[in-house]
Amino acid sequence: MRAVRLSVVTAAATAATLAAVTGCTQKSDDAKGADGAVTVVAKDDSCEVSRTDFPAGHLTLNVENRGSKVTEVYVLHPDDRIVTERENIGPGTKATITAEIKAGDYVIACKPGMKGDGIRRQVKATGAGTGAARRSPEMDAAVAAYRQYVQAQADATLPKVKKFTDAVRAGDVEAAKAAYADSRIGWERTEPVAESFGDIDPKVDVREDGLEAGQDPAKDWTGWHRLEKALWQDKKIGDREKQLADLLDKDLADWVKRVGKADITPTSMANGAKELLDEVATGKVTGEEERYSHTDLVDFKANVEGAQKSFELLKPVAQKNDPKLVAELDKQFAALNTLLDTHRADKNAYVFTSYDKVTEPQRKELSDGVNALAEPLSKLAAAVVK
């Protein structure tokens, strides 16, 4: 779960926001595209793009962070649904994002400090173009299989969530605690798909420090982590928590219905795998995600499994285009899974050491393992469309 979410806005509001942002220039000498790619230069007060229109199909964004803050870069539909994203781009670093873009209007957003709605640029993908995305039978098979996987994970989540929310409604703190982590596994495995809808994730998976400016935690904070705080920190269940349990059931039922309509492409699968590793790096390794329950390693493992599922389904395509990358990814996934297994309380179940018991050297080791996997995983999308 990202620390701060994008709010859902209308296309008109997006245009108004763009007009008001003086630091976001259309073009600069710093932002010249090369080889048909769109160059994005992110600074603390601007988001410069080399082109505001480009052919639909395979899009490459060459991102450079010239600001002093860690940033994120998004390609969004006008209603804030996420097409693709890259988080945690450090000052002075670069990143390449590959995505499949249909003809239409979009927004490129840079988020210095990874907060707020970001500095936004309106862009347009036109026509089919010479870069139109072409699908091989292997790509189609990978997308179909991943769609089935995501739906199965969502379907399996609802009864686990009901076990958790039933315990909340019954006022049984210990039973709710016992069911909490398990209820989140399917969500964590497929979180990039859920985030692509824009509005569901802030309802069910936001942390208190991820609320938008002006939101009142007492009224506006909903979802798993609000209940997590009640169970582990407040150690009580009141009428508000029981209402939130009902709302969590409702919001996740909506998610399950919408999963089958998600826009899934080979590049979104590859980018989603990298996003899951970013989730681990920015939330799980730090202990921020499950700050009350300390069940971070359950989320960690689920994120890695979801990323690995995307990779395994895309492997037949990537193997043809970049066998060295595939070999490296096989190696790093195996190494990280082996490391995670050392923290299992039960090797045959989703039972892991409470994260507050994981030492700083052990956390550093986990962080190093994530970084070792994240670097080659960031190249998977490009390998798929070679």
Side-chain angles (χ1 to χ4, degrees):
M1 192 278 318
R2 193 173 294 109
V4 179
R5 299 293 177 183
L6 292 161
S7 60
V8 177
V9 296
T10 64
T14 299
T17 299
L18 288 167
V21 177
T22 59
C24 193
T25 58
Q26 176 175 341
K27 207 169 189 178
S28 84
D29 291 338
D30 292 338
K32 293 180 179 178
D35 302 325
V38 176
T39 299
V40 179
V41 177
K43 300 180 182 179
D44 293 344
D45 58 358
S46 66
C47 185
E48 302 168 359
V49 300
S50 61
R51 303 172 62 181
T52 56
D53 61 89
F54 42 80
H58 289 134
L59 170 68
T60 299
L61 294 181
N62 291 327
V63 180
E64 181 178 0
N65 182 3
R66 294 190 184 176
S68 62
K69 303 173 183 177
V70 176
T71 196
E72 300 172 342
V73 172
Y74 295 81
V75 178
L76 304 166
H77 292 282
D79 62 0
D80 269 18
R81 285 176 296 122
I82 298 171
V83 179
T84 190
E85 64 179 304
R86 181 60 53 83
E87 301 178 9
N88 207 31
I89 305 171
T93 64
K94 299 180 180 181
T96 299
I97 308 171
T98 304
E100 291 180 33
I101 304 290
K102 297 178 181 178
D105 294 325
Y106 297 91
V107 173
I108 292 177
C110 305
K111 291 179 63 180
M114 302 195 294
K115 292 183 179 295
D117 287 342
I119 304 167
R120 296 176 167 221
R121 295 289 295 116
Q122 280 184 313
V123 296
K124 181 186 288 290
T126 56
T130 57
R134 294 179 294 276
R135 295 277 186 85
S136 66
E138 292 90 348
M139 285 184 179
D140 285 338
V143 169
Y146 187 67
R147 191 177 294 279
Q148 291 178 348
Y149 171 75
V150 170
Q151 187 68 62
Q153 291 299 313
D155 291 341
T157 295
L158 285 189
K160 294 181 177 181
V161 170
K162 188 173 185 301
K163 182 178 180 180
F164 169 62
T165 54
D166 280 349
V168 173
R169 283 184 286 265
D172 191 334
V173 171
E174 294 307 314
K177 284 183 176 181
Y180 171 78
D182 193 47
S183 75
R184 291 176 49 74
I185 292 172
W187 173 272
E188 291 290 340
R189 285 172 175 159
T190 61
E191 192 168 2
V193 175
E195 288 181 347
S196 71
F197 299 123
D199 61 329
I200 295 178
D201 186 85
K203 295 178 182 178
V204 304
D205 198 31
V206 71
R207 302 194 302 259
E208 185 172 8
D209 56 352
L211 294 173
E212 298 290 339
Q215 287 188 306
D216 181 354
K219 298 178 180 178
D220 302 317
W221 188 17
T222 60
W224 269 300
H225 294 302
R226 167 62 178 80
L227 292 169
E228 179 202 5
K229 182 180 180 182
L231 295 170
W232 273 272
Q233 179 168 295
D234 302 337
K235 298 180 171 46
K236 61 181 181 181
I237 296 172
D239 290 341
R240 176 57 175 164
E241 285 71 37
K242 293 176 182 180
Q243 293 169 357
L244 291 173
D246 291 340
L247 188 57
L248 183 61
D249 284 338
K250 178 182 176 181
D251 289 335
L252 288 173
D254 181 32
W255 163 57
V256 171
K257 289 178 182 177
R258 291 163 67 178
V259 159
K261 301 176 183 178
D263 187 11
I264 298 174
T265 66
T267 54
S268 76
M269 290 169 60
N271 289 328
K274 177 58 168 61
E275 289 165 27
L276 285 170
L277 265 291
D278 289 341
E279 293 279 351
V280 174
T282 59
K284 281 69 174 186
V285 167
T286 62
E288 294 177 57
E289 179 83 350
E290 306 289 357
R291 61 190 63 177
Y292 309 109
S293 65
H294 304 300
T295 56
D296 303 87
L297 287 176
V298 174
D299 293 357
F300 191 143
K301 179 64 174 177
N303 285 159
V304 173
E305 287 178 337
Q308 189 163 12
K309 182 67 175 181
S310 292
F311 165 59
E312 293 293 343
L313 292 174
L314 293 170
K315 187 186 287 190
V317 178
Q319 180 67 43
K320 292 179 180 179
N321 296 334
D322 197 337
K324 290 184 178 179
L325 178 65
V326 168
E328 181 64 16
L329 285 169
D330 279 334
K331 173 185 173 183
Q332 296 302 337
F333 268 116
L336 186 54
N337 280 313
T338 297
L339 180 58
L340 277 169
D341 282 345
T342 66
H343 296 280
R344 280 186 188 262
D346 182 342
K347 293 188 181 299
N348 297 313
Y350 250 84
V351 181
F352 288 85
T353 304
S354 180
Y355 205 62
D356 58 335
K357 302 294 192 282
V358 178
T359 66
E360 286 303 320
Q362 289 173 327
R363 293 188 184 199
K364 176 63 164 56
E365 188 178 26
L366 287 166
S367 179
D368 290 345
V370 171
N371 291 337
L373 173 58
E375 193 279 328
L377 195 58
S378 69
K379 302 175 182 177
L380 180 59
V384 167
V385 300
K386 272 186 179 179

